[in-house]
């Protein structure tokens, strides 16, 4: 079972077991991770599950799709490593993934 570490804006971290096939957002919501609101429920229709992918994981996670880039325009403090966690599917290859939540969601 892959593990994902969520680090909040204050620097507190929490490592969670994730189900393969779920999204990073679904994993966060299921485990009450603070800083992930997911108002649209994972439909890529808002930017309230915005995370920063740790630089060491950016290549493995990949970049956003054009639709995701459009939604990130509504995010708070978007950076080159910004992704919507609803668009990152958990795979065994992502075991150890580290993401950070922004100071606030849009």
């Amino acid at each position: 079972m892959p593990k994902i570490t969520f680090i909040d804006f204050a620097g507190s971290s929490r490592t969670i077991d994730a189900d393969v096939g779920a999204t990073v957002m679904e994993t966060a919501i299921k485990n009450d991770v603070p800083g992930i609101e997911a108002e649209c429920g994972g439909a890529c229709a808002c930017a309230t599950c915005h995370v920063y992918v740790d630089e060491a994981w950016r290549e493995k996670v990949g970049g956003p799709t054009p639709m995701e880039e459009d939604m990130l325009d509504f995010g708070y403090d978007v950076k080159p490593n910004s992704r919507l966690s609803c668009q990152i599917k958990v795979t065994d290859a992502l075991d150890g993934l580290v993401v950070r939540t922004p100071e606030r969601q849009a």
Side-chain angles (χ1 to χ4, degrees):
M1 187 171 270
K3 294 188 181 307
I4 300 173
T5 299
F6 294 87
I7 303 173
D8 68 19
F9 184 74
S12 297
S13 70
R14 189 168 163 198
T15 301
I16 297 171
D17 290 328
D19 295 324
V20 171
T23 65
V24 172
M25 180 221 65
E26 290 167 337
T27 302
I29 296 301
K30 179 179 176 183
N31 291 280
D32 298 317
V33 172
I36 304 287
E37 296 170 13
E39 289 178 4
C40 75
C44 196
C46 71
T48 60
C49 68
H50 174 211
V51 295
Y52 304 116
V53 175
D54 188 87
E55 289 298 326
W57 288 93
R58 277 183 72 187
E59 188 174 321
K60 200 168 269 191
V61 168
T65 64
M67 185 168 90
E68 183 180 350
E69 285 179 346
D70 288 346
M71 284 297 104
L72 280 167
D73 287 343
F74 299 102
Y76 173 77
D77 195 22
V78 174
K79 300 177 181 179
N81 62 331
S82 290
R83 290 291 310 269
L84 296 181
S85 59
C86 69
Q87 299 301 298
I88 305 171
K89 283 278 190 197
V90 176
T91 65
D92 285 326
L94 294 185
D95 184 28
L97 174 65
V98 177
V99 297
R100 290 173 170 74
T101 55
E103 181 178 7
R104 63 181 172 85
Q105 294 290 350

